C-alpha cells in the first residue's frame, strides 16, 4: 500500500506542470467533440438502445405513461447523459494511454529516473493489441455482469471494470519503453495485486466530480511512477545478485 500511495502522491505532484496540463486537456476535448459528433449522427440509434434498455428493466412503459411529458423527456435525457459521460472518459483514457504516455514517460524518466536505461521490451503493435484486448474484456465485464444489476450487486461493477481497464492499459505502457520483455513479465507477476490496487484507486477518481477531469493523466502518471520505481528496484536486486556471485 505504501508503494501505491507513494506513486499516487508523485502523480499529483507532476499533474499541474504546464506540459502535463495540456495533456490533460486535449484528450478530453478530442473525446468530447468526437462523441458529440457521433451522438448527433446516430442519435436515433442511441435513443433506441436506451429505450430498449429501459424497457428491459420495466422503466420504459412507466415513462410512456408519465405526465407531464417533460418529466419523462428529462429522465430520458439523463439516461443519455449517463451513457455519454462514461464514453467520453473511457475514450479520453484510451487517447491518453496511446498518445499521451510517451510525453509523460519522458517527463517522469528525465527527472526522476535519468539513469534507467531503455530496453524497449514492448512494441507499438503489442501496445495496440494490449489496448484492444483491454477494451474487449472491459466491455465483456459489463455485458456479463448486467444481470447483477437486478439484485443490487451491479453497483460494484463500474469500480471493478475501471480497475481492470486502468491496470491493463497503463501497466504495460508505463514500462514498455524501459523494461525488457523478461522484466515486463517479472514485474507483472510480482506486483499483480499492486497493479490491481493501483487500478482500483485511480478508477475511483473517475467517479469524483472535477477530479475526474484529471483522472486519465493522473492515472498515467501514477502508473509510470510505480512501474519505473519497481523496475529500478528489480535491476538493483539483479545487480546485487551478480556482484555477490
Amino acid at each position: 500500500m505504501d508503494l501505491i500511495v507513494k506513486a499516487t502522491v508523485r502523480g499529483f505532484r507532476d499533474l499541474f506542470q504546464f506540459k502535463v496540463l495540456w495533456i490533460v486537456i486535449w484528450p478530453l476535448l478530442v473525446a468530447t467533440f468526437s462523441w458529440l459528433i457521433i451522438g448527433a449522427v446516430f442519435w436515433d440509434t442511441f435513443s433506441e438502445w436506451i429505450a430498449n434498455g429501459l424497457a428491459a428493466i420495466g422503466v420504459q412503459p412507466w415513462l410512456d405513461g408519465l405526465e407531464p411529458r417533460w418529466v419523462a423527456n428529462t429522465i430520458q435525457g439523463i439516461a443519455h447523459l449517463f451513457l455519454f459521460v462514461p464514453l467520453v472518459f473511457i475514450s479520453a483514457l484510451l487517447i491518453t494511454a496511446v498518445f499521451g504516455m510517451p510525453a509523460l514517460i519522458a517527463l517522469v524518466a528525465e527527472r526522476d529516473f535519468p539513469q534507467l536505461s531503455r530496453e524497449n521490451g514492448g512494441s507499438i503493435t503489442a501496445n495496440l493489441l494490449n489496448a484492444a484486448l483491454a477494451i474487449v474484456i472491459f466491455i465483456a465485464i459489463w455485458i456479463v455482469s448486467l444481470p447483477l444489476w437486478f439484485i443490487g450487486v451491479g453497483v460494484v461493477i463500474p469500480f471493478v471494470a475501471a480497475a481492470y481497464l486502468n491496470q491493463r492499459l497503463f501497466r504495460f505502457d508505463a514500462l514498455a519503453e524501459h523494461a525488457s520483455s523478461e522484466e515486463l513479465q517479472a514485474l507483472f507477476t510480482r506486483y499483480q495485486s499492486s497493479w490491481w490496487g493501483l487500478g482500483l484507486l485511480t478508477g475511483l477518481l473517475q467517479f469524483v466530480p472535477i477530479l475526474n477531469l484529471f483522472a486519465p493523466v493522473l492515472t498515467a502518471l501514477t502508473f509510470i511512477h510505480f512501474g519505473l520505481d519497481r523496475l529500478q528496484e528489480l535491476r538493483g536486486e539483479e545487480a546485487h545478485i551478480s556482484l555477490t556471485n
Side-chain angles (χ1 to χ4, degrees):
M1 181 58 72
D2 290 343
L3 298 177
I4 294 175
V5 172
K6 179 182 176 182
T8 305
V9 170
R10 286 182 172 181
F12 268 108
R13 180 197 65 188
D14 293 340
L15 185 60
F16 297 101
Q17 298 185 48
F18 179 77
K19 291 180 180 180
V20 175
L21 286 175
W22 172 238
I23 300 174
V24 170
I25 294 170
W26 77 260
L28 278 174
L29 290 177
V30 171
T32 300
F33 283 113
S34 297
W35 281 110
L36 283 174
I37 293 171
I38 293 171
V41 174
F42 298 101
W43 179 265
D44 292 339
T45 301
F46 287 147
S47 296
E48 184 179 349
W49 288 352
I50 291 173
N52 291 338
L54 294 175
I57 60 176
V59 175
Q60 191 61 44
W62 172 73
L63 284 175
D64 292 338
L66 190 62
E67 295 293 342
R69 288 306 303 164
W70 69 266
V71 176
N73 292 335
T74 300
I75 294 174
Q76 289 175 321
I78 292 173
H80 281 80
L81 187 63
F82 277 135
L83 176 64
F84 177 77
V85 173
L87 288 174
V88 168
F89 282 122
I90 292 168
S91 300
L93 202 68
L94 280 171
I95 293 170
T96 302
V98 176
F99 300 104
M101 283 293 278
L104 294 173
I105 290 170
L107 184 149
V108 172
E110 181 178 346
R111 188 183 62 190
D112 296 320
F113 304 94
Q115 305 303 319
L116 203 59
S117 62
R118 297 173 184 253
E119 299 294 335
N120 295 305
S123 64
I124 295 176
T125 301
N127 184 11
L128 294 176
L129 288 174
N130 179 69
L133 183 61
I135 290 297
V136 169
I137 296 179
F138 174 80
I139 294 172
I141 291 173
W142 276 96
I143 293 174
V144 171
S145 63
L146 284 177
L148 298 178
W149 287 92
F150 296 100
I151 58 174
V153 183
V155 70
V156 305
I157 300 306
F159 304 106
V160 174
Y164 171 79
L165 184 62
N166 283 354
Q167 64 89 27
R168 182 78 197 196
L169 271 180
F170 287 100
R171 68 178 188 179
F172 183 87
D173 292 346
L175 290 166
E177 289 188 21
H178 287 80
S180 65
S181 57
E182 293 78 13
E183 288 171 332
L184 285 172
Q185 293 306 314
L187 291 169
F188 292 163
T189 302
R190 179 186 293 192
Y191 297 103
Q192 185 175 21
S193 60
S194 295
W195 294 118
W196 270 94
L198 206 57
L200 180 59
L201 178 61
T202 53
L204 292 174
L205 298 177
Q206 298 171 25
F207 301 94
V208 180
I210 306 301
L211 192 58
N212 56 12
L213 298 175
F214 302 93
V217 172
L218 180 57
T219 299
L221 288 169
T222 302
F223 271 83
I224 292 168
H225 276 290
F226 183 86
L228 296 185
D229 218 359
R230 303 292 72 75
L231 176 60
Q232 186 167 258
E233 285 182 0
L234 178 65
R235 289 182 180 174
E237 292 172 5
E238 292 174 345
H240 178 72
I241 293 172
S242 297
L243 287 174
T244 55
N245 291 337

